Amino acid sequence: MPQPPDPAATAAVLIIGNEILSGRTQDVNLAYLAKELAAIGIPVREARVVPDIEDEIVAAVNAARARYTYVFTTGGIGPTHDDITSGCVAKAFGVELVLDPEAVALLRRHYTGDQLNPARLRMATVPKGSRLIENPVSTAPGFQIGNVYVLAGVPAIMRAMFDGLKGGLKGGRPVASRTVSTYLGEGAIAEALGALQSRHPTVDIGSYPFFRRGKFGTSLVARGTDEAELDRVAEGLRALIRDHGADPYEGEIA
Amino acid sequence: MPQPPDPAATAAVLIIGNEILSGRTQDVNLAYLAKELAAIGIPVREARVVPDIEDEIVAAVNAARARYTYVFTTGGIGPTHDDITSGCVAKAFGVELVLDPEAVALLRRHYTGDQLNPARLRMATVPKGSRLIENPVSTAPGFQIGNVYVLAGVPAIMRAMFDGLKGGLKGGRPVASRTVSTYLGEGAIAEALGALQSRHPTVDIGSYPFFRRGKFGTSLVARGTDEAELDRVAEGLRALIRDHGADPYEGEIA
């Protein structure tokens, strides 16, 4: 359902799992959530990668939920011994874990007979007072309690869960961007770029060096919520590049 | 030079930059640092992604350096207005930023004449008391102050900087791993897996579901510092899989 806007909305992402901190798994969930949330006016202000240690997860959830409008966690809601997120979120909120009848019914449709063993039934336990988040990929649901949204770690499942819930989030104006690239080192244009940033304080201008086709270059990215102001900054970026004797390109140089 | 071992060594990684929190850039530095550090016996215990906001960076640096043996930061040491890491680290340590003569000399060899403009000279300013970290890719150095190592954000440069400094770190026994995979859902083996984990408390067993070649499966990863114990756990994993009527595969299933 459409929600009234919240121009001050912010978010944090907590990536839970030893496999991210060991380097075994490359996280891709943060970038997805960051883009999706920016598009509905909820900028991600912080992300943490937290190990599978109860005290660490509880502390990270409590720090984040006190500070940001929304908190999204990924990982640790499966059936194995290292899946401890649900219990940790319950502890963070000071509530007990309960077996959710709706979640049990969902799992019973997916797992027949004794396939629904005690380990899989754990996936139907959620902190008391939670609302389930639908999992159209593999059934076992996520859940929301307070401002904390607990999602799966497997990217395809996390995305499906987020797509289902995002309509209920209240954001501000979408964060839009303009990207202008050039084959100039960022040091060559840094001073002019700083001056342009000073003249447009409501737009966030980032400068990202790259090395492509055997040449150094820079991508300049302006981000903000005012489309007209973004267009002015983009024109300023193109002018700045031409002033330094180079050509501006729209977007990233592939 | 070889260093005496520190079996209790730990690390945190601070990924600095709005571009990671906006989803514009996919971080790949954490996974690289995590693997490299584990291999020299320095497990990464926490990672944070921090925006280009001075107070946030200062707070994150101070929290991490008090808690972990080593802190590695990536990003924000270039020549543009959004590169504020060096100043923030100086503030975290309560020291001033100084122009480092050695860094200036390095930059003078790389940038000729008025190419070495004021913006690029900023890359030669470091917190007072720092030691430079060599940058064999693009000259502008990183630096180390106390237990904080400040590296570039561009992956190729970050890797080259880390490769040069890692010989000076003191770790414990390398964290090794054994991976056994199978086409069984993790829920089917969760109970036996939990029991195996209980019998081998010094090894960290992770369970990671996957979907490949049209089939669901699970990769089981045992991590620890005792190679013989890891071999016993790997044998236990293979036996557990066979007990459930499936075949174990060495490593990940590609």
Side-chain angles (χ1 to χ4, degrees):
Chain A
M1 78 207 86
Q3 297 288 326
D6 175 4
T10 56
V13 176
L14 302 180
I15 301 154
I16 298 171
N18 292 344
E19 71 276 24
I20 311 291
L21 289 174
S22 73
R24 185 259 176 197
T25 302
Q26 168 67 57
D27 170 70
V28 294
N29 290 331
L30 171 58
Y32 181 86
L33 287 171
K35 279 185 214 167
E36 289 283 318
L37 287 164
I40 54 176
I42 305 173
V44 174
R45 295 285 189 222
E46 181 181 336
R48 293 196 198 185
V49 188
V50 188
D52 298 323
I53 297 173
E54 184 178 89
D55 290 349
E56 300 283 329
I57 299 172
V58 171
V61 168
N62 278 333
R65 75 189 179 97
R67 192 162 180 207
Y68 304 99
T69 317
Y70 296 107
V71 179
F72 299 89
T73 78
T74 66
I77 60 168
T80 54
H81 63 277
D82 56 339
D83 291 306
I84 63 171
T85 299
S86 302
C88 295
V89 172
K91 196 167 178 185
F93 277 84
V95 300
E96 54 185 335
L97 272 182
V98 294
L99 195 64
D100 185 284
E102 185 186 345
V104 174
L106 288 168
L107 291 174
R108 280 212 190 287
R109 286 209 292 272
H110 191 73
Y111 297 106
T112 55
D114 59 5
Q115 279 190 327
L116 188 55
N117 57 27
R120 285 180 169 135
L121 261 182
R122 277 187 67 218
M123 296 193 290
T125 58
V126 299
K128 194 169 183 173
S130 297
R131 289 170 56 171
L132 298 185
I133 295 172
E134 191 183 1
N135 170 358
V137 177
S138 59
T139 305
F143 60 87
Q144 172 223 331
I145 178 167
N147 61 340
V148 178
Y149 293 74
V150 176
L151 310 178
V154 175
I157 303 175
M158 188 284 296
R159 291 171 192 201
M161 286 180 169
F162 183 79
D163 287 350
L165 71 85
K166 72 179 177 187
L169 304 175
K170 298 178 220 183
R173 291 167 74 176
V175 182
S177 70
R178 303 285 186 277
T179 299
V180 180
S181 300
T182 182
Y183 286 113
L184 282 169
E186 57 174 0
I189 53 175
E191 194 177 340
L193 197 63
L196 184 69
Q197 172 71 83
S198 298
R199 291 197 299 278
H200 299 277
T202 66
V203 169
D204 174 37
I205 306 177
S207 169
Y208 309 113
F210 64 79
F211 184 76
R212 255 166 239 152
R213 302 166 186 241
K215 291 189 279 189
F216 286 99
T218 303
S219 285
L220 302 164
V221 181
R223 292 172 56 81
T225 56
D226 181 337
E227 298 273 355
E229 181 71 348
L230 285 175
D231 286 336
R232 285 188 285 274
V233 170
E235 185 45 46
L237 291 171
R238 287 187 288 266
L240 177 164
I241 289 165
R242 288 192 205 97
D243 285 348
H244 286 77
D247 292 321
Y249 298 83
E250 294 306 303
E252 309 278 347
I253 295 176
Chain B
M1 76 208 89
Q3 298 287 327
D6 175 3
T10 57
V13 176
L14 302 180
I15 301 154
I16 298 171
N18 291 345
E19 71 275 23
I20 311 291
L21 288 174
S22 73
R24 185 258 175 198
T25 302
Q26 168 67 56
D27 169 69
V28 294
N29 289 331
L30 171 58
Y32 181 86
L33 287 171
K35 279 185 215 167
E36 289 283 316
L37 287 164
I40 54 176
I42 304 173
V44 174
R45 295 285 189 221
E46 181 180 338
R48 292 196 197 186
V49 188
V50 188
D52 298 323
I53 297 173
E54 184 178 89
D55 289 349
E56 300 283 330
I57 299 172
V58 171
V61 168
N62 278 333
R65 74 189 181 95
R67 192 162 179 205
Y68 303 99
T69 317
Y70 295 107
V71 179
F72 299 89
T73 77
T74 66
I77 60 168
T80 53
H81 63 277
D82 55 340
D83 290 306
I84 63 171
T85 300
S86 302
C88 294
V89 172
K91 195 167 178 186
F93 277 84
V95 301
E96 57 185 333
L97 273 182
V98 294
L99 195 64
D100 184 282
E102 185 187 344
V104 174
L106 288 168
L107 291 174
R108 280 212 191 286
R109 286 209 293 273
H110 191 73
Y111 296 106
T112 53
D114 58 5
Q115 279 190 327
L116 188 55
N117 57 27
R120 285 180 169 135
L121 260 182
R122 278 186 67 217
M123 297 193 289
T125 58
V126 299
K128 194 168 183 174
S130 298
R131 290 170 54 174
L132 299 185
I133 295 172
E134 192 183 1
N135 170 358
V137 177
S138 58
T139 305
F143 60 87
Q144 173 223 332
I145 178 167
N147 60 340
V148 178
Y149 293 74
V150 175
L151 310 178
V154 175
I157 303 175
M158 189 283 297
R159 291 171 191 200
M161 286 180 170
F162 183 80
D163 287 351
L165 72 85
K166 71 179 178 186
L169 304 176
K170 299 179 219 181
R173 291 166 72 177
V175 182
S177 69
R178 303 287 185 275
T179 299
V180 180
S181 300
T182 182
Y183 286 114
L184 282 170
E186 58 174 357
I189 52 173
E191 194 177 341
L193 196 64
L196 184 69
Q197 172 71 84
S198 297
R199 291 198 299 278
H200 299 277
T202 66
V203 168
D204 174 37
I205 306 176
S207 169
Y208 308 114
F210 64 79
F211 183 76
R212 255 166 240 153
R213 302 166 186 240
K215 290 189 280 190
F216 286 99
T218 304
S219 285
L220 302 164
V221 181
R223 294 172 54 83
T225 55
D226 180 337
E227 298 273 354
E229 182 71 349
L230 285 174
D231 286 337
R232 285 188 286 273
V233 170
E235 185 46 44
L237 291 171
R238 288 187 288 267
L240 178 163
I241 289 165
R242 288 192 205 97
D243 285 348
H244 286 78
D247 292 323
Y249 298 83
E250 295 304 303
E252 309 279 346
I253 295 177

